[in-house]
Amino acid sequence: MKRMSFARRNALFPRGFRGVSATVVVVVVLAVALRVFAPNLLVTIATPLWRASVAVSGAIYGARASFANPIELQHTLDAVRAENTTLGEENATLKAQLADVTALLGSRSASVPGILAAVLARPPLSPYDSLLIDAGQTAGVQSGAFVEGPGGVPLGKVDVTTAQTARVTLFSSAGIKTEVLIGEHRVPVDLVGSGAGTFSATAPKDSGILVGDVVYSAKSALMGAVVRIDENASSPTATLFVQASVNPFSLSWVAVSRL
């Protein structure tokens, strides 16, 4: 059998196919040469392509996951909203506490004239006309110490202490007597606690005391005001009714004096 001539063999393949084959051969030869003589160069050239491929694949996967899990996205959104609500509530609480402490200390820049204590329980949760505070013997609180409210208003005295807490009996507690001064002329009277931040007192009719007159402690600290006066024609005295200037049901902070 006669051998097929080179020209005839070439005639069996289209001219374009022969060109592609030559190109492939050249590329293969170059790749082998790079692999043998410069292996790191091939890696350097291919690395950006690999990274781009990985990034695109990750983005596509993330997009698919996001669209494929709307319920999970909603749960995440709900969690973020709940956390935001919690932070808002905590912020409001801190603002309220700051307002309470500012009301207690006023605008003074000096240190607190006593022991600052938070009110843990107040009426009606605590025994009638008493407060439970979070400072006790460890903080230096002693039985008999005076307790003040916002603006230095006298509130009562410490009667029982533990290591970490103390109980304060308010001056408005039923039957407790406190020496006070009333009105412009500072008429001295004995103020008697009636409970729930109210007091009563007896004074001569001609004392000049009027409804609205301010009641001061013996140290000239504001305690309350006269809200009503009852008189009896057959009696030389009048009964005064006094309302404390601080509501014991809303106290948050107090200052305890150091003995």
Side-chain angles (χ1 to χ4, degrees):
M1 179 180 294
K2 295 182 178 180
R3 292 185 178 179
M4 185 181 297
S5 66
F6 179 77
R8 188 176 179 181
R9 286 200 302 269
N10 287 343
L12 294 176
F13 301 96
R15 184 172 299 177
F17 179 80
R18 292 198 300 271
V20 172
S21 299
T23 302
V24 171
V25 170
V26 172
V27 171
V28 170
V29 171
L30 289 175
V32 172
L34 288 173
R35 181 65 176 173
V36 173
F37 298 104
N40 294 332
L41 179 60
L42 184 60
V43 173
T44 302
I45 295 173
T47 296
L49 299 177
W50 294 338
R51 290 177 178 173
S53 176
V54 171
V56 171
S57 299
I60 294 174
Y61 177 80
R64 288 178 177 175
S66 299
F67 286 110
N69 296 286
I71 296 178
E72 183 177 347
L73 286 175
Q74 186 61 48
H75 288 169
T76 302
L77 181 60
D78 292 342
V80 171
R81 287 174 175 171
E83 183 178 1
N84 186 53
T85 300
T86 300
L87 291 174
E89 293 173 350
E90 292 177 353
N91 188 45
T93 299
L94 291 174
K95 285 183 178 180
Q97 291 178 348
L98 177 60
D100 291 338
V101 174
T102 301
L104 177 63
L105 302 181
S107 59
R108 294 172 295 184
S109 59
S111 59
V112 181
I115 303 165
L116 185 64
V119 177
L120 299 177
R122 61 189 66 78
L125 297 180
S126 62
Y128 203 59
D129 274 77
S130 68
L131 304 174
L132 180 65
I133 60 177
D134 72 346
Q137 298 166 4
T138 303
V141 175
Q142 299 181 41
S143 179
F146 284 92
V147 178
E148 296 180 352
V153 174
L155 297 175
K157 286 185 178 182
V158 174
D159 59 357
V160 177
T161 62
T162 66
Q164 303 298 332
T165 63
R167 188 180 69 186
V168 179
T169 297
L170 301 177
F171 290 134
S172 61
S173 181
I176 300 293
K177 289 186 177 182
T178 306
E179 294 181 359
V180 298
L181 305 172
I182 301 180
E184 181 180 355
H185 302 291
R186 301 293 195 273
V187 179
V189 300
D190 288 333
L191 206 60
V192 181
S194 303
T198 62
F199 307 85
S200 64
T202 300
K205 287 182 179 179
D206 58 359
S207 62
I209 297 175
L210 303 172
V211 171
D213 280 351
V214 176
V215 178
Y216 301 93
S217 70
K219 295 183 179 181
S220 296
L222 175 66
M223 286 191 66
V226 178
V227 295
R228 195 178 87 207
I229 299 176
D230 287 352
E231 296 182 353
N232 189 324
S234 61
S235 175
T237 61
T239 301
L240 314 177
F241 296 92
V242 175
Q243 179 68 50
S245 57
V246 172
N247 183 0
F249 299 97
S250 61
L251 284 169
S252 298
W253 297 86
V254 296
V256 184
S257 64
R258 298 180 184 274
L259 297 180

PDB file of all heavy atoms in Angstrom, residues 130-167:
ATOM      1  N   SER A 130     -41.952  54.727 105.902  1.00  0.00           N
ATOM      2  CA  SER A 130     -40.539  54.400 106.077  1.00  0.00           C
ATOM      3  C   SER A 130     -39.934  54.114 104.713  1.00  0.00           C
ATOM      4  O   SER A 130     -40.643  53.843 103.739  1.00  0.00           O
ATOM      5  CB  SER A 130     -40.365  53.190 107.004  1.00  0.00           C
ATOM      6  OG  SER A 130     -40.858  52.015 106.382  1.00  0.00           O
ATOM      7  N   LEU A 131     -38.615  54.204 104.651  1.00  0.00           N
ATOM      8  CA  LEU A 131     -37.880  53.930 103.419  1.00  0.00           C
ATOM      9  C   LEU A 131     -36.832  52.866 103.677  1.00  0.00           C
ATOM     10  O   LEU A 131     -36.267  52.792 104.773  1.00  0.00           O
ATOM     11  CB  LEU A 131     -37.174  55.188 102.910  1.00  0.00           C
ATOM     12  CG  LEU A 131     -38.007  56.446 102.648  1.00  0.00           C
ATOM     13  CD1 LEU A 131     -37.079  57.608 102.291  1.00  0.00           C
ATOM     14  CD2 LEU A 131     -39.010  56.206 101.550  1.00  0.00           C
ATOM     15  N   LEU A 132     -36.559  52.051 102.681  1.00  0.00           N
ATOM     16  CA  LEU A 132     -35.449  51.104 102.734  1.00  0.00           C
ATOM     17  C   LEU A 132     -34.416  51.589 101.729  1.00  0.00           C
ATOM     18  O   LEU A 132     -34.721  51.740 100.545  1.00  0.00           O
ATOM     19  CB  LEU A 132     -35.908  49.687 102.380  1.00  0.00           C
ATOM     20  CG  LEU A 132     -34.812  48.608 102.404  1.00  0.00           C
ATOM     21  CD1 LEU A 132     -34.283  48.432 103.826  1.00  0.00           C
ATOM     22  CD2 LEU A 132     -35.340  47.288 101.852  1.00  0.00           C
ATOM     23  N   ILE A 133     -33.193  51.863 102.196  1.00  0.00           N
ATOM     24  CA  ILE A 133     -32.152  52.398 101.319  1.00  0.00           C
ATOM     25  C   ILE A 133     -31.017  51.389 101.169  1.00  0.00           C
ATOM     26  O   ILE A 133     -30.858  50.479 101.982  1.00  0.00           O
ATOM     27  CB  ILE A 133     -31.611  53.738 101.844  1.00  0.00           C
ATOM     28  CG1 ILE A 133     -31.013  53.568 103.248  1.00  0.00           C
ATOM     29  CG2 ILE A 133     -32.719  54.777 101.868  1.00  0.00           C
ATOM     30  CD1 ILE A 133     -30.384  54.832 103.806  1.00  0.00           C
ATOM     31  N   ASP A 134     -30.213  51.562 100.101  1.00  0.00           N
ATOM     32  CA  ASP A 134     -29.177  50.571  99.785  1.00  0.00           C
ATOM     33  C   ASP A 134     -27.816  50.882 100.395  1.00  0.00           C
ATOM     34  O   ASP A 134     -26.794  50.368  99.940  1.00  0.00           O
ATOM     35  CB  ASP A 134     -29.042  50.443  98.267  1.00  0.00           C
ATOM     36  CG  ASP A 134     -28.383  51.673  97.637  1.00  0.00           C
ATOM     37  OD1 ASP A 134     -28.274  52.710  98.328  1.00  0.00           O
ATOM     38  OD2 ASP A 134     -27.995  51.596  96.459  1.00  0.00           O
ATOM     39  N   ALA A 135     -27.764  51.702 101.425  1.00  0.00           N
ATOM     40  CA  ALA A 135     -26.514  51.992 102.132  1.00  0.00           C
ATOM     41  C   ALA A 135     -26.698  51.613 103.597  1.00  0.00           C
ATOM     42  O   ALA A 135     -27.708  51.958 104.208  1.00  0.00           O
ATOM     43  CB  ALA A 135     -26.137  53.464 101.995  1.00  0.00           C
ATOM     44  N   GLY A 136     -25.703  50.910 104.155  1.00  0.00           N
ATOM     45  CA  GLY A 136     -25.797  50.476 105.543  1.00  0.00           C
ATOM     46  C   GLY A 136     -24.505  50.716 106.300  1.00  0.00           C
ATOM     47  O   GLY A 136     -23.765  51.664 106.021  1.00  0.00           O
ATOM     48  N   GLN A 137     -24.227  49.835 107.242  1.00  0.00           N
ATOM     49  CA  GLN A 137     -23.063  50.016 108.103  1.00  0.00           C
ATOM     50  C   GLN A 137     -21.758  50.038 107.316  1.00  0.00           C
ATOM     51  O   GLN A 137     -20.834  50.784 107.640  1.00  0.00           O
ATOM     52  CB  GLN A 137     -23.033  48.884 109.139  1.00  0.00           C
ATOM     53  CG  GLN A 137     -24.239  48.861 110.059  1.00  0.00           C
ATOM     54  CD  GLN A 137     -24.356  47.560 110.829  1.00  0.00           C
ATOM     55  OE1 GLN A 137     -23.487  46.689 110.734  1.00  0.00           O
ATOM     56  NE2 GLN A 137     -25.446  47.397 111.583  1.00  0.00           N
ATOM     57  N   THR A 138     -21.673  49.230 106.257  1.00  0.00           N
ATOM     58  CA  THR A 138     -20.454  49.198 105.446  1.00  0.00           C
ATOM     59  C   THR A 138     -20.161  50.560 104.826  1.00  0.00           C
ATOM     60  O   THR A 138     -18.987  50.948 104.676  1.00  0.00           O
ATOM     61  CB  THR A 138     -20.589  48.150 104.328  1.00  0.00           C
ATOM     62  OG1 THR A 138     -20.859  46.875 104.912  1.00  0.00           O
ATOM     63  CG2 THR A 138     -19.326  48.073 103.495  1.00  0.00           C
ATOM     64  N   ALA A 139     -21.203  51.295 104.469  1.00  0.00           N
ATOM     65  CA  ALA A 139     -21.042  52.624 103.864  1.00  0.00           C
ATOM     66  C   ALA A 139     -20.903  53.720 104.916  1.00  0.00           C
ATOM     67  O   ALA A 139     -20.716  54.886 104.565  1.00  0.00           O
ATOM     68  CB  ALA A 139     -22.216  52.930 102.948  1.00  0.00           C
ATOM     69  N   GLY A 140     -21.014  53.379 106.193  1.00  0.00           N
ATOM     70  CA  GLY A 140     -20.890  54.380 107.253  1.00  0.00           C
ATOM     71  C   GLY A 140     -22.210  54.891 107.784  1.00  0.00           C
ATOM     72  O   GLY A 140     -22.231  55.837 108.578  1.00  0.00           O
ATOM     73  N   VAL A 141     -23.334  54.299 107.381  1.00  0.00           N
ATOM     74  CA  VAL A 141     -24.645  54.731 107.869  1.00  0.00           C
ATOM     75  C   VAL A 141     -24.851  54.227 109.296  1.00  0.00           C
ATOM     76  O   VAL A 141     -24.642  53.044 109.582  1.00  0.00           O
ATOM     77  CB  VAL A 141     -25.766  54.196 106.954  1.00  0.00           C
ATOM     78  CG1 VAL A 141     -27.133  54.538 107.531  1.00  0.00           C
ATOM     79  CG2 VAL A 141     -25.623  54.782 105.557  1.00  0.00           C
ATOM     80  N   GLN A 142     -25.285  55.144 110.179  1.00  0.00           N
ATOM     81  CA  GLN A 142     -25.495  54.780 111.582  1.00  0.00           C
ATOM     82  C   GLN A 142     -26.918  55.105 112.007  1.00  0.00           C
ATOM     83  O   GLN A 142     -27.566  56.008 111.456  1.00  0.00           O
ATOM     84  CB  GLN A 142     -24.514  55.544 112.478  1.00  0.00           C
ATOM     85  CG  GLN A 142     -23.050  55.262 112.179  1.00  0.00           C
ATOM     86  CD  GLN A 142     -22.132  56.036 113.103  1.00  0.00           C
ATOM     87  OE1 GLN A 142     -22.388  56.158 114.303  1.00  0.00           O
ATOM     88  NE2 GLN A 142     -21.041  56.558 112.555  1.00  0.00           N
ATOM     89  N   SER A 143     -27.389  54.368 112.981  1.00  0.00           N
ATOM     90  CA  SER A 143     -28.727  54.619 113.524  1.00  0.00           C
ATOM     91  C   SER A 143     -28.778  56.017 114.132  1.00  0.00           C
ATOM     92  O   SER A 143     -27.850  56.443 114.832  1.00  0.00           O
ATOM     93  CB  SER A 143     -29.043  53.569 114.592  1.00  0.00           C
ATOM     94  OG  SER A 143     -30.312  53.789 115.148  1.00  0.00           O
ATOM     95  N   GLY A 144     -29.861  56.741 113.852  1.00  0.00           N
ATOM     96  CA  GLY A 144     -30.019  58.093 114.363  1.00  0.00           C
ATOM     97  C   GLY A 144     -29.593  59.167 113.378  1.00  0.00           C
ATOM     98  O   GLY A 144     -29.819  60.362 113.634  1.00  0.00           O
ATOM     99  N   ALA A 145     -28.984  58.772 112.254  1.00  0.00           N
ATOM    100  CA  ALA A 145     -28.529  59.750 111.266  1.00  0.00           C
ATOM    101  C   ALA A 145     -29.719  60.395 110.571  1.00  0.00           C
ATOM    102  O   ALA A 145     -30.726  59.748 110.290  1.00  0.00           O
ATOM    103  CB  ALA A 145     -27.622  59.084 110.247  1.00  0.00           C
ATOM    104  N   PHE A 146     -29.615  61.699 110.282  1.00  0.00           N
ATOM    105  CA  PHE A 146     -30.676  62.414 109.578  1.00  0.00           C
ATOM    106  C   PHE A 146     -30.600  62.103 108.080  1.00  0.00           C
ATOM    107  O   PHE A 146     -29.525  61.901 107.523  1.00  0.00           O
ATOM    108  CB  PHE A 146     -30.553  63.924 109.800  1.00  0.00           C
ATOM    109  CG  PHE A 146     -31.024  64.371 111.149  1.00  0.00           C
ATOM    110  CD1 PHE A 146     -30.138  64.474 112.217  1.00  0.00           C
ATOM    111  CD2 PHE A 146     -32.366  64.693 111.359  1.00  0.00           C
ATOM    112  CE1 PHE A 146     -30.571  64.885 113.468  1.00  0.00           C
ATOM    113  CE2 PHE A 146     -32.811  65.110 112.605  1.00  0.00           C
ATOM    114  CZ  PHE A 146     -31.909  65.197 113.672  1.00  0.00           C
ATOM    115  N   VAL A 147     -31.766  62.083 107.461  1.00  0.00           N
ATOM    116  CA  VAL A 147     -31.857  61.773 106.032  1.00  0.00           C
ATOM    117  C   VAL A 147     -32.542  62.932 105.321  1.00  0.00           C
ATOM    118  O   VAL A 147     -33.579  63.429 105.777  1.00  0.00           O
ATOM    119  CB  VAL A 147     -32.653  60.467 105.802  1.00  0.00           C
ATOM    120  CG1 VAL A 147     -32.786  60.182 104.311  1.00  0.00           C
ATOM    121  CG2 VAL A 147     -31.969  59.302 106.511  1.00  0.00           C
ATOM    122  N   GLU A 148     -31.937  63.359 104.211  1.00  0.00           N
ATOM    123  CA  GLU A 148     -32.472  64.482 103.437  1.00  0.00           C
ATOM    124  C   GLU A 148     -32.886  64.020 102.048  1.00  0.00           C
ATOM    125  O   GLU A 148     -32.343  63.052 101.503  1.00  0.00           O
ATOM    126  CB  GLU A 148     -31.427  65.597 103.308  1.00  0.00           C
ATOM    127  CG  GLU A 148     -31.033  66.234 104.623  1.00  0.00           C
ATOM    128  CD  GLU A 148     -30.003  67.333 104.413  1.00  0.00           C
ATOM    129  OE1 GLU A 148     -29.499  67.467 103.269  1.00  0.00           O
ATOM    130  OE2 GLU A 148     -29.696  68.061 105.377  1.00  0.00           O
ATOM    131  N   GLY A 149     -33.832  64.763 101.470  1.00  0.00           N
ATOM    132  CA  GLY A 149     -34.281  64.509 100.111  1.00  0.00           C
ATOM    133  C   GLY A 149     -33.823  65.606  99.180  1.00  0.00           C
ATOM    134  O   GLY A 149     -32.922  66.391  99.515  1.00  0.00           O
ATOM    135  N   PRO A 150     -34.405  65.707  97.998  1.00  0.00           N
ATOM    136  CA  PRO A 150     -34.024  66.751  97.033  1.00  0.00           C
ATOM    137  C   PRO A 150     -34.110  68.143  97.636  1.00  0.00           C
ATOM    138  O   PRO A 150     -35.067  68.476  98.344  1.00  0.00           O
ATOM    139  CB  PRO A 150     -35.055  66.570  95.907  1.00  0.00           C
ATOM    140  CG  PRO A 150     -35.454  65.136  96.000  1.00  0.00           C
ATOM    141  CD  PRO A 150     -35.439  64.808  97.461  1.00  0.00           C
ATOM    142  N   GLY A 151     -33.086  68.959  97.369  1.00  0.00           N
ATOM    143  CA  GLY A 151     -33.068  70.321  97.893  1.00  0.00           C
ATOM    144  C   GLY A 151     -32.732  70.414  99.363  1.00  0.00           C
ATOM    145  O   GLY A 151     -32.902  71.463  99.979  1.00  0.00           O
ATOM    146  N   GLY A 152     -32.249  69.314  99.960  1.00  0.00           N
ATOM    147  CA  GLY A 152     -31.918  69.317 101.385  1.00  0.00           C
ATOM    148  C   GLY A 152     -33.118  69.252 102.302  1.00  0.00           C
ATOM    149  O   GLY A 152     -33.024  69.593 103.483  1.00  0.00           O
ATOM    150  N   VAL A 153     -34.286  68.803 101.778  1.00  0.00           N
ATOM    151  CA  VAL A 153     -35.503  68.714 102.591  1.00  0.00           C
ATOM    152  C   VAL A 153     -35.355  67.599 103.625  1.00  0.00           C
ATOM    153  O   VAL A 153     -35.074  66.456 103.271  1.00  0.00           O
ATOM    154  CB  VAL A 153     -36.728  68.433 101.702  1.00  0.00           C
ATOM    155  CG1 VAL A 153     -37.965  68.204 102.557  1.00  0.00           C
ATOM    156  CG2 VAL A 153     -36.936  69.579 100.738  1.00  0.00           C
ATOM    157  N   PRO A 154     -35.525  67.897 104.924  1.00  0.00           N
ATOM    158  CA  PRO A 154     -35.444  66.856 105.945  1.00  0.00           C
ATOM    159  C   PRO A 154     -36.561  65.826 105.765  1.00  0.00           C
ATOM    160  O   PRO A 154     -37.727  66.186 105.635  1.00  0.00           O
ATOM    161  CB  PRO A 154     -35.621  67.633 107.256  1.00  0.00           C
ATOM    162  CG  PRO A 154     -35.310  69.056 106.925  1.00  0.00           C
ATOM    163  CD  PRO A 154     -35.752  69.232 105.511  1.00  0.00           C
ATOM    164  N   LEU A 155     -36.190  64.554 105.765  1.00  0.00           N
ATOM    165  CA  LEU A 155     -37.171  63.486 105.555  1.00  0.00           C
ATOM    166  C   LEU A 155     -37.432  62.658 106.796  1.00  0.00           C
ATOM    167  O   LEU A 155     -38.566  62.283 107.088  1.00  0.00           O
ATOM    168  CB  LEU A 155     -36.700  62.554 104.434  1.00  0.00           C
ATOM    169  CG  LEU A 155     -36.555  63.174 103.043  1.00  0.00           C
ATOM    170  CD1 LEU A 155     -35.954  62.153 102.088  1.00  0.00           C
ATOM    171  CD2 LEU A 155     -37.902  63.658 102.536  1.00  0.00           C
ATOM    172  N   GLY A 156     -36.357  62.323 107.521  1.00  0.00           N
ATOM    173  CA  GLY A 156     -36.526  61.467 108.677  1.00  0.00           C
ATOM    174  C   GLY A 156     -35.193  61.065 109.259  1.00  0.00           C
ATOM    175  O   GLY A 156     -34.167  61.712 109.020  1.00  0.00           O
ATOM    176  N   LYS A 157     -35.201  59.949 110.010  1.00  0.00           N
ATOM    177  CA  LYS A 157     -33.989  59.455 110.651  1.00  0.00           C
ATOM    178  C   LYS A 157     -33.835  57.957 110.408  1.00  0.00           C
ATOM    179  O   LYS A 157     -34.815  57.230 110.250  1.00  0.00           O
ATOM    180  CB  LYS A 157     -34.039  59.697 112.165  1.00  0.00           C
ATOM    181  CG  LYS A 157     -33.839  61.125 112.607  1.00  0.00           C
ATOM    182  CD  LYS A 157     -33.792  61.198 114.132  1.00  0.00           C
ATOM    183  CE  LYS A 157     -33.543  62.618 114.619  1.00  0.00           C
ATOM    184  NZ  LYS A 157     -33.458  62.666 116.108  1.00  0.00           N
ATOM    185  N   VAL A 158     -32.576  57.525 110.387  1.00  0.00           N
ATOM    186  CA  VAL A 158     -32.278  56.094 110.281  1.00  0.00           C
ATOM    187  C   VAL A 158     -32.559  55.447 111.633  1.00  0.00           C
ATOM    188  O   VAL A 158     -32.093  55.933 112.671  1.00  0.00           O
ATOM    189  CB  VAL A 158     -30.808  55.867 109.882  1.00  0.00           C
ATOM    190  CG1 VAL A 158     -30.464  54.381 109.921  1.00  0.00           C
ATOM    191  CG2 VAL A 158     -30.531  56.462 108.520  1.00  0.00           C
ATOM    192  N   ASP A 159     -33.354  54.360 111.635  1.00  0.00           N
ATOM    193  CA  ASP A 159     -33.620  53.688 112.908  1.00  0.00           C
ATOM    194  C   ASP A 159     -33.068  52.269 112.966  1.00  0.00           C
ATOM    195  O   ASP A 159     -32.785  51.756 114.047  1.00  0.00           O
ATOM    196  CB  ASP A 159     -35.131  53.680 113.220  1.00  0.00           C
ATOM    197  CG  ASP A 159     -35.937  52.980 112.139  1.00  0.00           C
ATOM    198  OD1 ASP A 159     -35.353  52.567 111.139  1.00  0.00           O
ATOM    199  OD2 ASP A 159     -37.166  52.874 112.317  1.00  0.00           O
ATOM    200  N   VAL A 160     -32.889  51.616 111.823  1.00  0.00           N
ATOM    201  CA  VAL A 160     -32.348  50.256 111.799  1.00  0.00           C
ATOM    202  C   VAL A 160     -31.331  50.167 110.675  1.00  0.00           C
ATOM    203  O   VAL A 160     -31.568  50.657 109.569  1.00  0.00           O
ATOM    204  CB  VAL A 160     -33.459  49.201 111.579  1.00  0.00           C
ATOM    205  CG1 VAL A 160     -32.851  47.801 111.489  1.00  0.00           C
ATOM    206  CG2 VAL A 160     -34.481  49.257 112.705  1.00  0.00           C
ATOM    207  N   THR A 161     -30.177  49.529 110.954  1.00  0.00           N
ATOM    208  CA  THR A 161     -29.154  49.361 109.931  1.00  0.00           C
ATOM    209  C   THR A 161     -28.712  47.906 109.842  1.00  0.00           C
ATOM    210  O   THR A 161     -28.739  47.171 110.831  1.00  0.00           O
ATOM    211  CB  THR A 161     -27.913  50.230 110.216  1.00  0.00           C
ATOM    212  OG1 THR A 161     -27.337  49.823 111.465  1.00  0.00           O
ATOM    213  CG2 THR A 161     -28.275  51.695 110.270  1.00  0.00           C
ATOM    214  N   THR A 162     -28.324  47.500 108.648  1.00  0.00           N
ATOM    215  CA  THR A 162     -27.654  46.222 108.428  1.00  0.00           C
ATOM    216  C   THR A 162     -26.349  46.544 107.714  1.00  0.00           C
ATOM    217  O   THR A 162     -26.008  47.714 107.523  1.00  0.00           O
ATOM    218  CB  THR A 162     -28.506  45.267 107.564  1.00  0.00           C
ATOM    219  OG1 THR A 162     -28.622  45.822 106.240  1.00  0.00           O
ATOM    220  CG2 THR A 162     -29.900  45.085 108.162  1.00  0.00           C
ATOM    221  N   ALA A 163     -25.622  45.527 107.312  1.00  0.00           N
ATOM    222  CA  ALA A 163     -24.338  45.778 106.646  1.00  0.00           C
ATOM    223  C   ALA A 163     -24.521  46.552 105.345  1.00  0.00           C
ATOM    224  O   ALA A 163     -23.732  47.444 105.033  1.00  0.00           O
ATOM    225  CB  ALA A 163     -23.627  44.454 106.376  1.00  0.00           C
ATOM    226  N   GLN A 164     -25.577  46.237 104.585  1.00  0.00           N
ATOM    227  CA  GLN A 164     -25.739  46.823 103.259  1.00  0.00           C
ATOM    228  C   GLN A 164     -26.971  47.709 103.111  1.00  0.00           C
ATOM    229  O   GLN A 164     -27.098  48.401 102.095  1.00  0.00           O
ATOM    230  CB  GLN A 164     -25.814  45.703 102.205  1.00  0.00           C
ATOM    231  CG  GLN A 164     -24.614  44.770 102.197  1.00  0.00           C
ATOM    232  CD  GLN A 164     -23.317  45.490 101.858  1.00  0.00           C
ATOM    233  OE1 GLN A 164     -23.324  46.494 101.153  1.00  0.00           O
ATOM    234  NE2 GLN A 164     -22.198  44.979 102.367  1.00  0.00           N
ATOM    235  N   THR A 165     -27.875  47.713 104.064  1.00  0.00           N
ATOM    236  CA  THR A 165     -29.111  48.494 103.933  1.00  0.00           C
ATOM    237  C   THR A 165     -29.431  49.213 105.245  1.00  0.00           C
ATOM    238  O   THR A 165     -28.777  48.985 106.274  1.00  0.00           O
ATOM    239  CB  THR A 165     -30.308  47.597 103.562  1.00  0.00           C
ATOM    240  OG1 THR A 165     -30.531  46.645 104.629  1.00  0.00           O
ATOM    241  CG2 THR A 165     -30.059  46.851 102.262  1.00  0.00           C
ATOM    242  N   ALA A 166     -30.432  50.069 105.180  1.00  0.00           N
ATOM    243  CA  ALA A 166     -30.896  50.773 106.376  1.00  0.00           C
ATOM    244  C   ALA A 166     -32.366  51.141 106.193  1.00  0.00           C
ATOM    245  O   ALA A 166     -32.838  51.310 105.065  1.00  0.00           O
ATOM    246  CB  ALA A 166     -30.059  52.025 106.634  1.00  0.00           C
ATOM    247  N   ARG A 167     -33.073  51.241 107.317  1.00  0.00           N
ATOM    248  CA  ARG A 167     -34.469  51.665 107.282  1.00  0.00           C
ATOM    249  C   ARG A 167     -34.564  53.067 107.848  1.00  0.00           C
ATOM    250  O   ARG A 167     -33.967  53.388 108.875  1.00  0.00           O
ATOM    251  CB  ARG A 167     -35.364  50.719 108.090  1.00  0.00           C
ATOM    252  CG  ARG A 167     -36.852  51.020 107.931  1.00  0.00           C
ATOM    253  CD  ARG A 167     -37.686  50.061 108.749  1.00  0.00           C
ATOM    254  NE  ARG A 167     -37.534  50.298 110.187  1.00  0.00           N
ATOM    255  CZ  ARG A 167     -38.060  49.516 111.135  1.00  0.00           C
ATOM    256  NH1 ARG A 167     -38.749  48.439 110.784  1.00  0.00           N
ATOM    257  NH2 ARG A 167     -37.874  49.807 112.412  1.00  0.00           N
TER     258      ARG A 167
END
